[in-house]
Each structure stands twice: as C-alpha cells, then as structure tokens.
Amino acid sequence: MERHELKKIHDNLYEIPKTGQMKVPGRIFADAALLSTILADQSPEQVRNVATLPGILRYSLAMPDMHWGYGFPIGGVAATDIKTGVISPGGVGYDINCGVRLVRTDLRHSDVRDRVRDLVGALFEKIPCGVGSRNAIPKLSLSELDRVLVEGAAWAVKNGFGTTDDLEHTEESGSLPGANSDKVSERARERGRAQLGTLGSGNHFLEVQRVDEIFEPAVADAFGLQEGSITLMIHSGSRGLGYQVCDDYLKVMARASEKYGFSLPDRQLACAPVTSREGKDYFGAMACAANFAWANRQIMMHLGIETVLKTLQISPRNLGAKLVYDVCHNIAKFEEHTVDGKKRMVCVHRKGATRAYPPGHPLVPRAYRAVGQPVLIPGDMGRASYVSVGTEAAMEETFGSTCHGAGRVLSRHKAVRAAKGRSICRELEDQGIIARSRGKRTMAEEMPEAYKDINNVVQVMHDAGIARKVARLKPLGVIKG
Amino acid sequence: MELMQGRRLADCPHSRYTANHRGRGEARIGQEQAEMAREDQIDEQLYETLDHTADIAVRVRGDTLPQLFENAAYALFDTLVELDGVAEAREEIIQVDGADLAELMVTWLNELLFLWESQLLLFKRFEVTELTDTRLTARAWGELFDEAHHALLTEIKAATYHQLRVEKVGTRWSAQLIFDI
C-alpha cells in the first residue's frame, strides 16, 4: 500500500478509507517513522481484508507494532456484532491466548547483581523450553486435562501452583467462560497433553528484569513496582493444543464460509456467524485453549518463583513475589462496548493486541480499579519491556485495546544473515544481559535489531492517549526456546 | 523432564555454528550442488525461502504433483531440525483428506507436525503412493527424537492457508507456503 492511499487523522493515527468490499475503514496507530516500516510489508492490505468481514463494527484496527501475519495482521483488532457478525480463527491465530505475565518482587537489583547468571542457569534447567519442550509436570490423564481446559489457571492453583490471589490478577481470572471441552479434538488433547508448564520456542521467553524507569509513580505504586526492583516476565501461550484447535477449526470455518455465502479475500480469514453452530463450537474450543494457556503460564510462574527461592536461598517473605497481572494478546472475547452511543456486546478479536481497560471498569482487579488495568508490553531481549495502563480513550477508540509488543521488522532469515559472524550472546552480555537459548538459531532470529524499537511503539499509544506509560523494565537475564 | 535434562547447557549455542543449512536434499542432488545450497541457503530443486517478516515462507517445486507434496514435507522438517542427524529408522504410513489440493497440502503438513509434537517423530524422506485432488497416502521415513543426536532449529506451529498456492507452472508444480513460527 502507498502512503497517499492513507488519510492522516492525527500524528499517531492514519486511516485507510473504505473502498471496494470494505465494510468499515481501516485505522492504523503509528507515527510517520513507524508507518513507513508498516507500509513496507503486506500488513496494511491485511487491515483492508479484515475490514471486509461480515458484521465488523466501526474500524479494522491496527496497532503500531503491526506486521504481516496470516489472515489478520499481527497487531490487528476487530470487533464484530454478536448477532449479525462473524467469529474468525484467523483473528486469533494458532497460538490461542499467547500472553504475558509479570511478577514483581521485593528484591533490589543490588541483591541479584552477581547472581543473574546462576538464576538464568537454574531457570533454564527448570522450565522446559525450546522446540518440542514437554514434561514440566507429570503427564496429565485425559480427564485431568479436561479440567484444565475448563478451569484454566484455577486448576493450576488447586494443584499447588500458586495462590488464589494470582487468579484475581489475571485477565478473566484465568478462566474464560464458555469453554466446552467436547469441542476440542482428541488430536488437540494429544498434542498438548505433555506440554503444560512449558515455554515453547520462537519469541516466547522468561526474563529476569529490573525496573528501569517509572513514568507514573502513583500507578506504578498501585502495581507494586519501584525503580530498581526486580521483576519476572513470562511470554508463552497454549502450545500444541492451541495450534491444533486453530487448525481443526480453520477447516470447519472454510466449509462454513461457503455455506453462509461469504466471499473472503484470504482463506485464512475463514469465519462463521457468532450465533451459528460452527461459531459456537469454535468459541467453546478456543476458550479451552485459552484456559490451557493460563494454566500454562500459572505453572511456569510457580516453577520460576520456586527456582528463584532455591537459587538465592531466601524465604518467600523476603522475595515478596506477587503477580502484577496476566494479559492475553491472541483471543476473541465477548465484551461490552459503546457503539453509536449505545452499550452492546461485541465479539472483540485481538490478534497481537492487549486489552487496556480504564479506571473504574468492573473487570479491572479491585487493587487497580482506581488507576486502570495494567498493560504488559514485552519488547525484544536487548532493549526493554513496558508496563502501561488502560484508559477511557481506549474504550472509545480501540475497543479497549493497545499494542502487544515491539513487532518484527526483519524476517528470521534476514536476522540470521545479519547475525552471521557475530555473537549475539556476547553482545547482550556486554550490555549486562545474560541470555540462554535452546535452539541453534534462536539468538540470531530473536536479536534486538530484528524488532522495532519498543520505546517508539509504546510512545505512539501513549501519545494517542490509548495506554499511558507507567514503567520501563530492562532485561537482566533471558531464557528462550 | 527426561528429554530436556539430557541436554547439556550450552552457553551461546549460536556461536558454535556458522552456516545456516537449508534445503539439503542429498538423495536428490549432488554434493557440489549441496554445497552451493548450503552457501546460498537455497536449494532450487526442492524449495527456497522467501522473505516474510514474522514467519517462514517457502516456495516448493516438484516435477510431479506427488513430488511437490514430498518436497513440501521435506521443507517443513528441514526448517524444524538439522536433517543430517535424522536416520531413516522407521516407516509410517500417512493418509489425509482435503477438500481441494490446497487444503490437502496444509492437512498433509499439519498431520506431520501433529506426529512430531504428539509422538516426537522426525521424518526426512517421503514417498507419496496415492494422490487424488482430495486424498493423499504416503510413506514417511524417519526416527524418534533423541536429544543427544538431533539439533532442533525452529518450532513450527502450523502450515497456514495464507496466500497458499498450489499450481502448475509450465510442466512443473509449485507451491507457496507460509509456516507460522
């Protein structure tokens, strides 16, 4: 797409006017510099494709970290009418409820300065990561797995991984209503059964971080974050179980799209009416995968905290670990939003986007209700990650959504080529970051320069008033798949 | 944990490799060509990697349609693991159905990914024995994953339908595939 095809709304927002089969305009949050990166790949065309979905409301939205995905762009948000609109697995992705959680601690950077290497080594041993990682916990029986699919993070807590406080600090309390395990195939179960409590590969990570800068002290205080304190961040999803659910339902949706007479610009956008049997079945199965992902992150967090305690030989009281929040960034959910001045339920697809609810919203945990929902935005392993906070503007403009990460700018192939002859590990170490990975190419593929600068991405949403910056976190130790 | 514990911690594992291996089809191409493929990270005869920001896109070629399916499976596993280390120790018979050639292609590749993730089976050679527009039967040779011998490279979540094309170009067949990473 060319720059002249876009209409500038303000410095951080551009519109793709409604043309052809589009039912609504597209809107891209970006500044001029990020926009030129965005226009270099095919993601703006994907924004346009999403705008053709039956029942889409207001805009096909894209966040500044957007890049070329399959079906929806990564960084895409679309809300559909629950009576006349559709639900699309392509608007969620294969890694259903891929998401992030952040743990705060009472540790200061000075407490761990000389122990980061030990911590990273111990975490790397304890938390299975990498291609095909499995067996973090004993293999589940099928009936036990069914409970995970319905109960989500609560299952993990019940089985000794964490506390009930954690559930309150998890989006949807770690369990999406409407999960129907009958709609999850045997194959999906078989694929995910041994993978609960594992990190996986690609951009997934566990990081030991230091709070580098506070932008809003009162909000940071409410989230339990102080400058110089240590945090743990986990980025992972529903593993093979989610991938299989998506794959299974893409076939179902391909038939459904034909049956309901939808003409779609991309096969990966296959969808069905929210109210149809196919739509309901997909939602039931997707919710199960989402719950699996919440249990997964809950278990990994518990294993991570245990490992820190053991490595540093300190008591839980001295560690003071508490879950700040857990957000999902690949999901479709039924939420209440105001459209044309009226409150109504809509089906919000977030594919590489984070919920960003404002102060006072009933779904924001009580401890944060006065300030707003914590938004966790992981960056690459060299630069930083951010904690932002949701706003009323997000409710008005983006169906309560903001960006989810830095967004890739180099293909994996190009990154590997750029890393040739270099030691990314050593380069990171020179910046004071200890990194470990399983996969041979992971460090090269995931090198910081393969990503957009998280600082710029987060700044766009801050300046647009959608999600305000609260704290920046710098990586000290990283484990990757 | 037995699988992951067997592996020793490698500090900066990437520093131990220099070349990014791609498309090594020793059975089908000569040594010299294989060397070239290694250099260019492209094997013209089997598949080439296309530029895609987030995921991995490949263009696969085959003289015949069955060979196209075989080469696509090869590209999948060549992305996932260093195939040099994988032996043809066991054989599996695989049958999949799809509404058309494109869906058949995605279903075939995702069936192989399913076998990998659920049973830890790695494959390196494929022979399509029966192929219609809607059904594929194939034999696949490979072995069980063994951490001591196999170097895994990239987790592939799925073969996607995005921009999927299976088509005849002149006398040969070609497919463009995007793997979700």
Side-chain angles (χ1 to χ4, degrees), chain A residues 42 187 195 266 268 425, chain B residues 12 103 111 117 161-163:
Chain A
Q42 299 183 32
R187 297 161 63 78
Q195 295 182 335
D266 180 355
Q268 196 76 30
C425 247
Chain B
C12 294
E103 191 178 288
E111 174 67 20
E117 261 193 81
Y161 293 90
H162 181 57
Q163 296 189 343

Side-chain angles (χ1 to χ4, degrees), chain B residues 18-36:
Chain B
T18 50
N20 176 25
H21 305 313
R22 283 276 178 195
R24 273 170 294 160
E26 285 85 353
R28 297 201 175 90
I29 53 174
Q31 187 60 35
E32 198 185 322
Q33 271 175 302
E35 286 299 333
M36 279 168 59

